Amino acid sequence: MSAADDTAIVDAAARGRPEDLPNPVPRPDGELERLEAAWAPPKGWRLISAVNNNFIGMYYIGTALLFFLLAGILALIMRTQLATPESTLVGHELYNQLFTMHGTIMMFLFAVPVVEAFAVILLPNLQAARDLPFPRLSAYAFWAYAAGGLAFFCSLFFQVAPKGGWFMYPPLTSYEYSPGINADFWLLGIGFIEISAIAGAVEIIVGVLRTRAPGQSLDRLPVYSWAMLVFALMIVFAFPAIILATLLLELERAFHWPFFVAAKGGDPLLWQHLFWFFGHPEVYVIFLPAAGMVSMIIPAMAQVPLQGYRLVVIALIGTGFLSFGLWVHHMFATGLPTISLGFFSAASMGVAIPSGIQVFSWIATIGVGKLQWKTPTYFVLGFLFIFIIGGLTGVMVAMVPFDWQVHDTYFVVAHFHYVLIGGMVFPLFAALYYWMPTMSRNPLSERVGKWVFWLMFTGVNVSFFTMHITGLMGMPRRVYTYLEEMGWGPLNMVSTIGAYMIAAGVLLFVIDLFRTYRFTFDDDAGDLWKAGTLEWLPAGTYQTRSVPIVTSREPLWDQPNLAEDVEAGRYYLPGTVTGGRETVVTSAVDARPQYILQMPGPSWPPVFAALFTAAFFLGLTVKLVGPAMACGVLAVACVIWWLWDTDPGPTHPPMDIGGGLRLPVYATGPVSHSWWAMVVLIMVGGALFTCLVFSYLFLWLVNPQSWPPAGVSLPALGWPVAAGALYLASSAAIVIGSRLLAHDRIWPVVLLLVLSVVLIVAGIGTAVHGETQSGLRPEAHSYGAIVYTVHAVQGFYVGTLVIMALYTIARALTGRLDRRRRATFDNTMLFWHYATVQGLIGLALVAGFPRLV
Amino acid sequence: MSPARDHITRLLFMWSGLLVWAAHFTFIYGLAALSCARHLASAEMIAGFNVLQLGIMAATILALVVTAGFMAVAWMRGAAAVRSDDGGWADTGPFFRYTTVVIGALSLVAIAWNALPALLSPLCR
C-alpha cells in the first residue's frame, strides 16, 4: 500500500468520512459470529482457564481488593490495641506479626497487584487492542500471585507469620535472632510474588509499545499508558534488587553465608541499600499508575483535554528516573558520610519538581473546564488534598536534621500513610467509580459513593493527621503499647476513631459493590461521563468490533462518528482473518500496523504452572525439600506445555485487514513482540546482576585490607580464563547454528546446540572448580559468600539455558524449527549471548578485581 | 539499523538528559563512598579543594556539557528531519524535539542541584 493511500484513510478517520474508511458496510453475513466464536469465554468452572484480559483483569482486581480488606482488618486490630494505654488485647508477639503483615500485604499484595490488574483490563481498551500480547503470561502472573499470596496470609493463623517489619532488617531477621520459619515466609513468599510482578511488567511494556490502535503514536498515547510504561520499566530496574536481597538473606539463613554478619565481614547496611533501592522506587511504582488514572479522570470530568500533556509525560518520565536517586533518604540515621546524605537529600527535594508539574497540570485542567460533581471527582479532589500534605511532609523529612528528629516515630507513619492513601488509594477509588461503567452492567451508586468518600476522607485525616502530633511528642512506631504517663492516650484514641471511620467507608463500598456490580463484557453501563478516550467505545470480549485509526489524543471528542463506524466494522480487522483470536501489532513510536499476532484461547497450563510454582516456594519455606523440587519440575513442565503451541510460524499468507492493507501473520527478529519481551527480560537480568556487582563492591569497601581475607588465596588465573573461553565458545557455536538455520540445515543446528550446552556447562564447572581448588568456603567470610553467589547466579542462567536449548532441540526434531519459523531459536540465542556477557563480567569481577586492588 | 532498534534509539534519545543524570549520580555517589571509606578526601590538592570535590566538579561539568549537547542536537535536528519517516500515520517529530529538550533542561537542574552538597556540606563526617 502506498503512502498516499495511508494519508487518505487517516484523513477519512480524522474527518469521519465513512465511505473512505478501510472496510465497506454492510459486513458479510457470519463475520461477527465468527469473531464472537473465536473470543467466546469458557463456561462454568472452566472459567478458571480463561486468559482473556477482561476475565483475568477482574479476577486480579477482586483478589487485590480482598487483600486490601484483609490488611485493613489487621490495621483495625492494631488501632484497637493502641486506642488505650497498656491495653492487653494483643501481645507483643502477635502485634509484631500484625504490623509486618499489614505493611507487607498492603505494599506487595494489594498496591502493586491492583495497579497491574487495572492495566490488564484498561490498556487493551485504551489502545484498541484485542488483548495484551501475552494473555497466558497475565494468567500465570495472576494465579501465581493469588495462590502464593493467600498461602502467605494464612501463615498468620499458624503463628508463623513474619515479624521483622515490612523491610525485614537483618540482623534481627537473620538466623541468630529469627530462628523458625517466620522470616522464610516473607523471603520466599515475597521474592516469589515479585517474580509475578515482573511477569506483569514485561506484559505491560510490550503491550504499551506494540499493541496500539493504528495512528496512536507516542504523542497521542493516553497519559495512563505512558504512566504504565514508566511504571513497568521501574519494576524492571527496581524489583531485581529485592529479589537479590531476599536471595542473599535466605542464603544466609539457610546455609550461613554471612552477607550481613559484621563479625564475618558482612554488613547489615548492604540489606538496607538493596531493600531501599527497590523500596523507594516502589513508592513511585505505586504512585505513577494512580497519577496516570487521575490524568484520565480529570479531563473527562472537566470535559477538556489535559492541560500540558507533554509536560505531564515529561514529569512521569522524570519521576521514574529521579526516584532511583532517593533510596538513602530512608537511611539518614545509619551514619553514612554527610556528603552522601547531601546527594540524596538534594534528589529528594528535586523529585518534587516533576510531581509538582503534574499537580499544577491537574489544577489547570480543573480550572479550564467545568467539573461534573460526581463521586470520581470527589475522590480526585480528596487525593489532591491528602497527597499534597503527604508530599509536603515528605519534603520535611527529606531534610536530614529534621529526619533525625522524627526517624522511627509516628510522624513518619503519618507521612507515608498520607502519601500512600492520598497518592494511591484515593485515585484507585476514583478509578473504580470512574471505570466501573465499562466493566459492569450498573455503575456504583452515586449517593452511597458520596458517603463512602466523606467517611474515608474524614477518617484518613482524623486518623493520620493526629499521628503527626503523636510522633512529634515522641511516640515510636512499632510499639505494641505505651504507658499512660506518656500522654499519648487521647491522640491514639482519636486515631483509632478515624481508622474505624475509614473502615465504615470501605464497608459501605463493599456492600454497594455487591449490590450493583454485575460482570459483563458486552452490555456495560456505557459512557456516563462523555469521556474522549477509546475505552468508552462499545466493546465485546474481543474489545472493539473493528480496530480504529486514531488521529487525536481524545478520539471520541475529535473524530466524528468514531463509535458508530467502529461498531459497524468500517475500520480494520472487523472479523477474524485466521479464524482464531488475533490482534494487530504496531510499531513502537508511530503505531504503524506491522503484523497480525495470533493469540491463544482458554488455557490450563498457565494455571497449573502458577500453582506448581507457588507450591515449590511454599514447600521450600516449610522445609519440604523433596515435594518442593517435584513441584518445581512440574512447574517447568507446565511452562513447556504452554509454550509448545507458541511460535506457530507463517501458518497463513499475508492477510487483508481492510483498505488494501495486507499484514503478515507471523514475525521473527526485532520486529516481533517476542523479541521485545526477551529484551525486557534481559534488562531484568542485567538489573539483578548490577545489584550483585554493587553488593560485591560494597562488601569490598567495608573490608579494607582483607579482600580476600587473610588465609584465602585467589584461584590460579588459568581457571577463570578457561571458563571465559568456554563461555565465548558456546556463544560462537550458537552464532554458527543461526547461520546454518538460515539454510534449513536442521541436524547441524541440533548438534551445535548440544555442543553449546556442553561448552557452557563446562564453563561454569571450570569457574567453580577453580574456587574450590583454592579452598574458598562460602560460610567463612562475606568474601567467599559473595564470590560463590556470583557463580551461583551464573549457574542459574546456565541451568535455564540448558532447558531452553533442549526445548529448541525438541522443536527442531519435531519439525517446528526452520529458516522462517525461528522465533524460538532467536530468543534462545539472544538470552545465550546475554548469559555469556554476564558470565565474562562475573569472572572479571571475582578473579580480576582483587588482583587489581 | 533495523526499524525496531530505531524505535528504541529514539526513546533513549528522548530520555538522554535523564540517562546522563543517572550516570552522573552513580559516579559521584560511588566516588564519595570510596573516598570516605578509604580516607582519600582529607588532603587538599588544588585551590583548597580535595580529590573528591575536584572529581565531583569535573564530572558535573562534563555531565552538564553532554546534556546540553543532546539538547542542542535535538533542537537543531528539528521537526522536519524526523517528520518524513512517519508517513501519513503520525507526526511525532515536534513531540520528540520538545520532550528531549525539556527533559534535558530538567536534567541540567537535577545534575547541578545534586552536585551542590560537594561544595556546601562537610564531606565524610
Side-chain angles (χ1 to χ4, degrees):
Chain A
M1 191 167 80
S2 73
D5 294 336
D6 282 357
T7 313
I9 285 182
V10 173
D11 190 57
R15 294 168 197 276
R17 281 200 314 274
E19 64 281 5
D20 292 332
L21 290 176
N23 281 303
V25 293
R27 303 300 308 150
D29 285 345
E31 184 183 71
L32 180 61
E33 287 71 19
R34 283 195 297 278
L35 181 65
E36 282 171 346
W39 289 89
K43 297 265 184 295
W45 61 275
R46 289 191 181 81
L47 268 176
I48 293 170
S49 69
V51 296
N52 196 341
N53 76 304
N54 307 47
F55 289 92
I56 292 298
M58 285 321 288
Y59 299 166
Y60 221 148
I61 291 182
T63 311
L65 288 179
L66 172 69
F67 281 117
F68 175 66
L69 296 181
L70 292 173
I73 290 169
L74 303 186
L76 284 183
I77 300 173
M78 286 190 286
R79 278 311 331 160
T80 311
Q81 160 72 15
L82 291 176
T84 51
E86 297 173 71
S87 162
T88 52
L89 178 71
V90 292
H92 60 90
E93 181 73 10
L94 179 58
Y95 191 86
N96 291 349
Q97 296 186 21
L98 288 174
F99 71 69
T100 302
M101 291 295 273
H102 169 74
T104 304
I105 293 172
M106 282 293 192
M107 295 301 272
F108 294 103
L109 298 180
F110 162 63
V112 176
V114 84
V115 292
E116 285 201 343
F118 252 98
V120 168
I121 284 211
L122 281 181
L123 283 177
N125 286 288
L126 274 167
Q127 301 176 182
R130 296 222 186 275
D131 204 336
L132 285 170
F134 307 101
R136 286 180 289 194
L137 189 63
S138 299
Y140 175 81
F142 164 71
W143 288 107
Y145 147 73
L150 286 170
F152 177 71
F153 183 81
C154 289
S155 65
L156 257 180
F157 301 124
F158 302 92
Q159 299 283 309
V160 289
K163 50 190 174 180
W166 88 279
F167 41 64
M168 293 289 287
Y169 281 175
L172 174 64
T173 51
S174 193
Y175 55 86
E176 193 175 353
Y177 301 105
S178 290
I181 61 172
N182 305 53
D184 301 313
F185 261 104
W186 197 96
L187 295 170
L188 291 165
I190 294 306
F192 155 59
I193 282 159
E194 297 320 294
I195 294 170
S196 152
I198 288 175
V202 173
E203 174 90 308
I204 288 169
I205 291 172
V206 183
V208 169
L209 287 176
R210 300 304 306 284
T211 52
R212 301 209 296 268
Q216 195 175 45
S217 49
L218 287 184
D219 57 329
R220 296 176 190 146
L221 193 61
V223 173
Y224 178 75
S225 298
W226 268 113
M228 293 316 293
L229 177 64
V230 176
F231 154 92
L233 284 169
M234 289 179 71
I235 287 188
V236 162
F237 289 105
F239 281 34
I242 188 75
I243 292 178
L244 179 70
T246 52
L247 173 73
L248 297 187
L249 187 50
E250 195 51 54
L251 284 173
E252 177 169 304
R253 289 177 54 82
F255 307 115
H256 293 202
W257 291 18
F259 301 101
F260 310 110
V261 180
K264 292 182 175 178
D267 189 336
L269 275 192
L270 173 60
W271 170 271
Q272 296 197 20
H273 277 293
L274 290 173
F275 185 88
W276 290 116
F277 188 76
F278 143 81
H280 197 80
E282 161 89 349
V283 176
Y284 291 89
V285 158
I286 294 168
F287 168 63
L288 288 187
M293 290 168 169
V294 171
S295 291
M296 303 302 288
I297 296 171
I298 288 181
M301 300 319 273
Q303 292 289 298
V304 285
L306 184 70
Q307 304 299 300
Y309 168 89
R310 292 182 299 186
L311 285 172
V312 171
V313 170
I314 289 165
L316 289 168
I317 298 167
T319 310
F321 273 87
L322 296 182
S323 67
F324 281 90
L326 309 182
W327 82 88
V328 165
H329 78 203
H330 296 268
M331 300 164 63
F332 280 163
T334 56
L336 293 177
T338 325
I339 178 108
S340 303
L341 302 187
F343 294 149
F344 288 90
S345 182
S348 305
M349 290 179 248
V351 80
I353 296 175
S355 296
I357 290 175
Q358 292 189 82
V359 170
F360 283 114
S361 159
W362 295 324
I363 292 173
T365 310
I366 292 171
V368 170
K370 187 167 173 2
L371 278 181
Q372 311 178 51
W373 286 96
K374 298 293 170 63
T375 309
T377 310
Y378 281 72
F379 273 102
V380 164
L381 295 178
F383 145 74
L384 279 172
F385 181 84
I386 298 174
F387 179 69
I388 289 172
I389 293 181
L392 291 176
T393 54
V395 176
M396 289 166 78
V397 290
M399 312 291 161
V400 177
F402 185 84
D403 181 81
W404 285 342
Q405 293 303 313
V406 297
H407 188 80
D408 264 345
T409 71
Y410 262 81
F411 188 91
V412 178
V413 178
H415 157 68
F416 67 69
H417 279 92
Y418 262 84
V419 171
L420 293 169
I421 296 180
M424 191 270 165
V425 177
F426 270 60
L428 179 79
F429 271 77
L432 285 166
Y433 277 91
Y434 177 75
W435 276 299
M436 192 58 76
T438 70
M439 309 169 190
S440 160
R441 241 171 245 143
N442 319 309
L444 291 162
S445 158
E446 271 296 314
R447 204 159 61 89
V448 179
K450 286 179 185 125
W451 275 98
V452 173
F453 168 76
W454 283 113
L455 278 168
M456 286 179 68
F457 182 76
T458 315
V460 166
N461 285 296
V462 168
S463 183
F464 294 106
F465 194 83
T466 319
M467 286 185 195
H468 291 111
I469 305 164
T470 326
L472 289 174
M473 287 171 69
M475 179 164 169
R477 62 196 284 206
R478 296 176 168 176
V479 288
Y480 79 105
T481 193
Y482 51 91
L483 295 173
E484 191 172 0
E485 296 80 65
M486 307 304 290
W488 303 330
L491 288 170
N492 271 293
M493 178 56 87
V494 172
S495 284
T496 303
I497 292 169
Y500 275 91
M501 289 173 78
I502 303 173
V506 174
L507 182 66
L508 257 187
F509 170 80
V510 172
I511 292 170
D512 190 36
L513 191 66
F514 275 103
R515 213 170 53 89
T516 55
Y517 171 73
R518 294 294 175 270
F519 177 77
T520 182
F521 41 76
D522 52 5
D523 182 26
D524 59 46
D527 187 1
L528 297 187
W529 329 110
K530 307 207 175 347
T533 38
L534 295 178
E535 77 274 29
W536 300 100
L537 284 171
T541 37
Y542 44 79
Q543 308 297 8
T544 54
R545 168 72 196 274
S546 58
V547 180
I549 297 166
V550 167
T551 61
S552 126
R553 275 175 213 147
E554 290 88 15
L556 284 173
W557 287 348
D558 298 336
Q559 293 177 238
N561 301 322
L562 183 67
E564 294 81 3
D565 290 337
V566 164
E567 197 169 21
R570 285 200 173 94
Y571 280 96
Y572 289 129
L573 201 64
T576 160
V577 292
T578 62
R581 298 184 178 195
E582 56 205 14
T583 196
V584 178
V585 177
T586 49
S587 62
V589 168
D590 49 2
R592 188 191 294 263
Q594 291 185 313
Y595 67 96
I596 295 170
L597 165 61
Q598 294 178 263
M599 313 196 90
S603 180
W604 287 103
V607 182
F608 293 139
L611 297 180
F612 284 126
T613 314
F616 168 70
F617 281 98
L618 192 64
L620 285 185
T621 308
V622 298
K623 312 270 191 279
L624 291 172
V625 178
M629 289 300 161
C631 288
V633 171
L634 284 169
V636 173
C638 286
V639 170
I640 289 173
W641 174 21
W642 146 18
L643 288 178
W644 194 245
D645 63 358
T646 56
D647 192 10
T651 51
H652 297 73
M655 292 298 208
D656 190 338
I657 64 166
L661 183 59
R662 295 187 84 80
L663 295 182
V665 293
Y666 178 72
T668 58
V671 77
S672 112
H673 64 291
S674 74
W675 184 88
W676 284 63
M678 184 51 90
V679 169
V680 177
L681 182 67
I682 286 174
M683 289 183 341
V684 174
L688 189 132
F689 188 69
T690 305
C691 291
L692 184 58
V693 172
F694 167 84
S695 304
Y696 179 97
L697 295 175
F698 181 89
L699 290 170
W700 162 70
L701 209 56
V702 298
N703 282 289
Q705 276 93 47
S706 59
W707 201 260
V712 173
S713 59
L714 290 165
L717 210 47
W719 294 110
V721 169
L726 287 163
Y727 291 158
L728 276 174
S730 75
S731 257
I734 291 283
V735 170
I736 298 168
S738 171
R739 299 263 161 85
L740 294 172
L741 184 60
H743 300 287
D744 268 341
R745 297 177 60 189
I746 302 300
W747 272 106
V749 172
V750 169
L751 292 177
L752 281 165
L753 279 167
V754 173
L755 176 66
S756 303
V757 165
V758 172
L759 288 169
I760 202 161
V761 171
I764 184 72
T766 308
V768 174
H769 184 69
E771 305 293 353
T772 51
Q773 278 287 331
S774 69
L776 186 65
R777 283 174 42 244
E779 62 276 11
H781 188 273
S782 66
Y783 172 82
I786 194 77
V787 166
Y788 276 108
T789 306
V790 171
H791 292 310
V793 168
Q794 184 66 13
F796 173 76
Y797 277 78
V798 169
T800 309
L801 282 174
V802 170
I803 295 172
M804 288 172 79
L806 293 175
Y807 174 76
T808 312
I809 290 169
R811 291 187 71 89
L813 297 179
T814 52
R816 288 176 169 79
L817 189 71
D818 58 43
R819 69 188 157 82
R820 292 195 301 164
R821 188 184 184 182
R822 55 174 293 161
T824 302
F825 185 91
D826 289 343
N827 285 338
T828 304
M829 177 164 73
L830 206 54
F831 197 67
W832 207 292
H833 294 333
Y834 168 73
T836 296
V837 171
Q838 177 184 298
L840 292 175
I841 297 173
L843 289 170
L845 183 72
V846 299
F849 184 78
R851 287 182 162 86
L852 286 177
V853 298
Chain B
M1 190 183 288
S2 80
R5 294 203 181 96
D6 182 45
H7 286 267
I8 295 175
T9 314
R10 285 180 71 180
L11 275 173
L12 290 179
F13 187 71
M14 177 181 167
W15 304 338
S16 55
L18 287 163
L19 291 168
V20 175
W21 169 84
H24 173 258
F25 189 88
T26 309
F27 177 78
I28 62 173
Y29 171 64
L31 186 67
L34 180 66
S35 310
C36 291
R38 294 290 187 265
H39 309 292
L40 307 175
S42 42
E44 292 180 0
M45 287 178 67
I46 305 167
F49 294 116
N50 61 43
V51 65
L52 173 57
Q53 289 170 317
L54 290 170
I56 291 175
M57 281 191 254
T60 306
I61 291 167
L62 180 67
L64 292 173
V65 169
V66 172
T67 305
F70 278 120
M71 290 166 70
V73 171
W75 187 254
M76 285 187 299
R77 197 192 263 178
V82 190
R83 185 171 301 179
S84 59
D85 57 303
D86 283 329
W89 285 107
D91 181 8
T92 53
F95 174 76
F96 274 90
R97 183 192 198 191
Y98 178 89
T99 46
T100 309
V101 171
V102 178
I103 284 177
L106 176 68
S107 309
L108 289 179
V109 175
I111 291 166
W113 181 242
N114 256 145
L116 218 51
L119 298 178
L120 297 182
S121 86
L123 298 177
C124 299
R125 268 216 309 269

